[in-house]
Amino acid sequence: MTTKSILESFTQKGILPEEQAILIAEYERTKSFSIHRELRAILYLGITLLTTGLGILIYKNIDTIGHQAIIALIAVSILACFYYLFKHAQPFSKGIIKNTEPFSEYVLILGCTLFLLLEGYLQYQYEFFGTRYGIAIFIPTVLFFLCAYRFDNRAVLSMAITGLASWLGLTISPLSVLEKNDFTAPGIIITSIVLGVLLVVISWLSEKSDWKSHFRFTYILFGGNLAAIAGLAGLFNNDPKIIYFLITAALCTFLIQTARKTQSLLFLLMGVIYGYIAVTYAAFIFLPDSILAGLSIFYFLFTSVGVLLFLLNVKKILGLKK
Amino acid sequence: MKKAYNELWITNLNIQNISRSWHRKNLITTKQLEQITIDFPEAFYKPGIFVKTGLFLFTILAGSFFSGFISLFFLENSTDKIFTVISIVCAVSYFFALEYSIKDRKLFHSGIDNALLYMAEVATLIPVFLTFEHLKIWQYCLIILVVNSVLLIRYADILIAFISVGALYVMFANIIIASPQLKPFLPFFLMLISAVIYYFNKVNYGVYYANCQTVIKIFSLVVFYLGGNYYVVREGNALLSDLRTPIAPQIPFSLLFYILTTAIPLIFIFFGLRNKDRILLIIGLLTTAFSVFTYCYYFDIIPVEIILTVAGLALILLTIFLINYLKTPKFGVSDEKDDSQNFANLEAIIIAHQFGQSPAGDQLHFGGGDFGGGGAGISY
């Protein structure tokens, strides 16, 4: 099946007039090969390599290059980045800013990463913040939040949220939320749940007030994952279990509700998987042993078939359009 | 062999997708697109990637507990024979469910059918492996290849395609390694096999197998490159000859492999751009990175941080130059933004993972990619 045969079948059925088919065939023949995404990926790789290389370079030569020289160099680079950004920036808007200048996003990421580098350097060499490490993380977090909203950048927003979490002593990058956090520590579960729920609330508010409503996805992804995993960890390790179960269940319901409203199936999946784990665990904890003995053989078979039926008919049940 | 999925619908689906891309470019009107959707109908159940993931996971869960349920009947004695019986019963049930879900629920690679297919395959292979113990590796590979090829022709699943090609390579490699005369030429044989596979894969077998052909193409290109890569050949040679030296010894024809390591990625990129073949281009870029790694690994005269800095700077400058250069398309290559898929959210997550701050002890460390923040939780 080629473009030509498709176009022929279209003209035969009378969907397209002959001239339009010729036009489309001409377009298909001459259309250019876009390497937009590949170029952006290489650019991003370049920024990663450069900042990594510079970091190691400074770290190794910390005694030979003048400290002031290094600090001045990084500071000048940051200023250059932000000068570029403000020069090319679109005016602030509450919605999505479209038609941004092609490099802005990458210059912003470069600037923000260099800022972290500068701050780390100041602290390492001069103990700039003394032992108040909290401030050292809090400053870039605030800066990143401002940048994210000013330049409408979801990547920097994600960096700001992870910064906020690490200010509280958490790791919440979606790929490492499980492996890097020690959920057996008592305080961390409460902190995680509070922060996670807070992020979910912010996502709800930004949707409600129409303030950067496209940031909602980022907030809810970080917050929802964090709160749900922390809730499950609490359910497994801590007492009273019923409280943690209720929190997790409420969160999963909210995620499924959000999926329904925003047509986002990622939240649906999160809600279903976390919910399934919570309900299964709760069933095995709370139910008396006599019921459990009969239940355990069939439970997984029938519930997973139930979930499958739910997911298969999710469009009808939740009224999703997609 | 008869194909499992409705071929007409797959063709129509492809027509609809192409029409949609024309619609995005304003080549056809919305009304015409609607007419096309009516005239070329399909009724597959195609959920999004996330629902698909959920369906896949829960099918695996249900399937494994189903097999557990079946084995309850045979609890008394657990010999190989019993295992064979259980596997056959499971395989038949999985295949039955698979056919039912495709025919009746109109699934089309939507998680459930993928999971059922994989479980059915495993359940089919278990009795075979239990019956024929102590075979040579290539004989096992041949069995896997035959079973997978049959499944591939009927279901056109990409993982099945992947396993088939993998089994084919392992089979040949095993035969070649077993013979002392042929063993030194293993890299060349692998490249030859890749070239043959690539050549036969170039034939258009229709939309039904389009994705599988892509997988086979990627596989053969990557193996072709690795067969000629200096690092892989040198380390592989040391591994196969069981030479336990800290540094792998030099290999014969080293100059040839140096040339291949440099030339293959460049050829891939060149033909990728010339033939407008995105897969070739991307594999060319990735293999270029691996070639750079190969050279850095054996020639570590320049310290790694200087390489990183210079390479990073060079890449940034190169891309900025290319983006500016391609503002108007040159030689049929352009820098046009493709709005068809929005990866903004995904990008943000990856960047946060890369540059995100993470608490690490109570001291500030710093380095490029990973910025360690300070302080854990409640200590302050």
Side-chain angles (χ1 to χ4, degrees):
Chain A
M1 190 172 55
T2 56
T3 316
K4 210 176 149 208
S5 68
I6 295 176
L7 284 172
E8 263 170 22
S9 64
F10 282 0
T11 42
Q12 268 168 19
K13 288 204 176 203
I15 303 170
L16 294 187
E18 202 74 51
E19 306 83 61
Q20 198 180 357
I22 294 168
L23 209 70
I24 293 175
E26 183 64 19
Y27 162 81
E28 282 291 327
R29 207 175 52 77
T30 57
K31 77 172 172 189
S32 61
F33 179 63
S34 174
I35 52 169
H36 181 86
R37 216 170 276 153
E38 286 80 5
L39 283 177
R40 296 307 177 283
I42 299 173
L43 185 59
Y44 171 65
L45 178 73
I47 293 175
T48 318
L49 291 182
L50 181 69
T51 46
T52 313
L54 278 181
I56 304 173
L57 200 63
I58 294 169
Y59 189 76
K60 278 197 175 163
N61 298 299
I62 212 147
D63 304 320
T64 47
I65 326 171
H67 297 303
Q68 282 86 354
I70 295 175
I71 291 170
L73 183 73
I74 303 176
V76 166
S77 315
I78 296 172
L79 286 179
C81 285
F82 278 90
Y83 171 76
Y84 181 90
L85 280 172
F86 276 103
K87 200 177 144 204
H88 293 278
Q90 309 268 334
F92 179 78
S93 139
K94 272 162 63 173
I96 298 181
I97 296 179
K98 283 203 173 124
N99 306 321
T100 45
E101 195 272 340
F103 299 115
S104 288
E105 197 188 327
Y106 297 89
V107 174
L108 182 61
I109 293 169
L110 181 65
C112 290
T113 322
L114 284 174
F115 184 80
L116 287 179
L117 201 66
L118 175 72
E119 215 202 0
Y121 191 79
L122 281 176
Q123 173 66 11
Y124 182 85
Q125 197 56 42
Y126 298 110
E127 303 226 321
F128 197 72
F129 301 99
T131 49
R132 288 160 298 172
Y133 304 115
I135 300 177
I137 310 175
F138 193 65
I139 292 173
T141 303
V142 172
L143 180 81
F144 291 173
F145 267 116
L146 289 175
C147 285
Y149 276 87
R150 174 64 189 82
F151 299 111
D152 189 50
N153 191 307
R154 270 171 273 192
V156 174
L157 179 72
S158 310
M159 286 164 75
I161 297 174
T162 49
L164 179 67
S166 72
W167 183 57
L168 296 167
L170 298 169
T171 303
I172 62 164
S173 156
L175 303 175
S176 52
V177 63
L178 258 181
E179 66 189 88
K180 295 220 179 110
N181 285 325
D182 177 20
F183 277 117
T184 46
I188 212 162
I189 288 177
I190 309 283
T191 321
S192 306
I193 291 179
V194 170
L195 179 67
V197 171
L198 185 75
L199 289 174
V200 171
V201 169
I202 293 176
S203 84
W204 181 74
L205 283 178
S206 47
E207 167 76 15
K208 206 80 184 147
S209 59
D210 213 12
W211 248 82
K212 295 279 181 201
S213 52
H214 57 291
F215 280 6
R216 183 198 53 215
F217 181 91
T218 313
Y219 278 119
I220 204 167
L221 183 67
F222 279 96
N225 259 318
L226 181 69
I229 289 179
L232 285 180
L235 183 64
F236 294 160
N237 297 322
N238 292 10
D239 287 313
K241 292 193 186 297
I242 186 78
I243 304 244
Y244 289 106
F245 173 69
L246 287 179
I247 291 173
T248 317
L251 200 77
C252 293
T253 319
F254 176 79
L255 282 173
I256 293 174
Q257 281 291 330
T258 314
R260 180 179 185 171
K261 236 182 286 167
T262 63
Q263 312 282 318
S264 167
L265 297 170
L266 172 62
F267 300 142
L268 179 77
L269 180 66
M270 279 162 59
V272 168
I273 289 185
Y274 290 135
Y276 185 77
I277 297 173
V279 169
T280 304
Y281 186 82
F284 279 80
I285 287 290
F286 295 130
L287 288 179
D289 284 347
S290 51
I291 302 179
L292 269 184
L295 194 66
S296 55
I297 304 169
F298 305 103
Y299 180 83
F300 286 102
L301 191 58
F302 287 124
T303 47
S304 44
V305 171
V307 173
L308 284 180
L309 287 178
F310 169 73
L311 284 176
L312 273 179
N313 299 309
V314 73
K315 287 179 203 177
K316 266 180 257 159
I317 297 172
L318 291 184
L320 296 179
K321 286 184 203 77
K322 245 195 307 200
Chain B
M1 191 170 186
K2 218 172 149 262
K3 288 159 185 163
Y5 300 98
N6 188 331
E7 268 189 282
L8 181 67
W9 284 358
I10 295 176
T11 314
N12 288 352
L13 184 67
N14 188 43
I15 291 177
Q16 285 186 19
N17 285 338
I18 293 175
S19 309
R20 251 174 239 128
S21 75
W22 286 340
H23 180 244
R24 270 197 299 277
K25 299 274 181 213
N26 290 323
L27 290 167
I28 54 174
T29 61
T30 314
K31 211 173 160 202
Q32 283 169 335
L33 181 67
E34 277 165 10
Q35 188 59 42
I36 289 167
T37 326
I38 295 166
D39 281 0
F40 297 89
E42 52 93 18
F44 282 127
Y45 172 75
K46 305 181 302 294
I49 178 79
F50 298 114
V51 170
K52 214 188 249 187
T53 316
L55 288 172
F56 184 82
L57 291 177
F58 280 99
T59 310
I60 295 280
L61 190 68
S64 23
F65 278 93
F66 173 75
S67 60
F69 183 68
I70 294 288
S71 54
L72 277 181
F73 296 115
F74 304 97
L75 266 181
E76 308 87 66
N77 44 2
S78 54
T79 52
D80 276 3
K81 242 182 207 160
I82 295 296
F83 261 121
T84 311
V85 173
I86 295 174
S87 304
I88 291 172
V89 172
C90 285
V92 170
S93 325
Y94 292 146
F95 273 120
F96 184 76
L98 175 64
E99 289 295 324
Y100 166 80
S101 65
I102 293 172
K103 288 263 145 29
D104 242 58
R105 302 300 309 240
K106 302 183 174 50
L107 300 186
F108 179 58
H109 301 302
S110 19
I112 294 186
D113 47 341
N114 300 61
L116 283 172
L117 179 59
Y118 304 151
M119 290 192 298
E121 197 213 341
V122 173
T124 318
L125 285 176
I126 287 177
V128 181
F129 281 9
L130 283 178
T131 326
F132 302 104
E133 278 177 271
H134 317 298
L135 285 185
K136 290 202 177 67
I137 294 178
W138 68 268
Q139 287 163 323
Y140 282 121
C141 287
L142 188 64
I143 295 171
I144 297 177
L145 183 64
V146 170
V147 172
N148 274 288
S149 304
V150 173
L151 294 178
L152 178 65
I153 292 168
R154 179 155 175 81
Y155 298 103
D157 183 89
I158 49 172
L159 185 67
I160 297 289
F162 185 84
I163 297 172
S164 309
V165 192
L168 185 70
Y169 273 111
V170 175
M171 189 175 82
F172 276 116
N174 189 253
I175 294 172
I176 293 166
I177 289 171
S179 125
Q181 290 90 21
L182 295 178
K183 197 174 158 189
F185 302 101
L186 179 64
F188 303 110
F189 276 113
L190 285 181
M191 290 174 78
L192 182 71
I193 297 166
S194 303
V196 172
I197 292 177
Y198 186 83
Y199 177 76
F200 280 110
N201 194 41
K202 265 187 109 74
V203 186
N204 188 353
Y205 294 104
V207 205
Y208 193 77
Y209 297 109
N211 289 334
C212 297
Q213 282 194 289
T214 312
V215 170
I216 296 170
K217 184 175 170 185
I218 294 173
F219 204 127
S220 64
L221 285 173
V222 170
V223 175
F224 184 78
Y225 168 76
L226 292 180
N229 180 280
Y230 180 75
Y231 173 84
V232 174
V233 174
R234 184 165 168 175
E235 302 297 322
N237 177 48
L239 199 72
L240 285 179
S241 321
D242 220 9
L243 302 166
R244 290 177 206 283
T245 45
I247 301 162
Q250 181 60 281
I251 42 167
F253 318 116
S254 61
L255 185 68
L256 177 65
F257 285 108
Y258 276 127
I259 295 172
L260 286 175
T261 308
T262 322
I264 295 174
L266 296 179
I267 293 171
F268 281 0
I269 294 178
F270 175 75
F271 280 102
L273 287 175
R274 211 188 68 167
N275 301 343
K276 304 188 175 180
D277 187 338
R278 197 170 300 278
I279 294 162
L280 207 51
L281 174 67
I282 292 174
I283 291 178
L285 292 174
L286 292 176
T287 50
T288 308
F290 194 71
S291 290
V292 171
F293 160 78
T294 303
Y295 277 100
C296 291
Y297 185 82
Y298 290 106
F299 300 96
D300 53 353
I301 318 155
I302 316 163
V304 65
E305 64 270 17
I306 296 190
I307 295 176
L308 287 178
T309 314
V310 173
L313 201 64
L315 284 182
I316 293 174
L317 292 177
L318 178 73
T319 33
I320 290 175
F321 166 74
L322 280 176
I323 289 169
N324 281 325
Y325 179 72
L326 292 175
K327 268 188 179 149
T328 53
K330 304 265 162 51
F331 311 110
V333 178
S334 77
D335 183 38
E336 195 183 341
K337 200 169 176 181
D338 186 5
D339 288 328
S340 58
Q341 278 157 311
N342 193 357
F343 284 116
N345 285 322
L346 187 70
E347 246 173 47
I349 295 163
I350 293 169
I351 289 172
H353 186 68
Q354 193 92 30
F355 293 120
Q357 312 166 25
S358 56
D362 47 10
Q363 196 196 343
L364 280 172
H365 302 287
F366 74 97
D370 251 336
F371 177 83
I378 45 170
S379 61
Y380 55 89

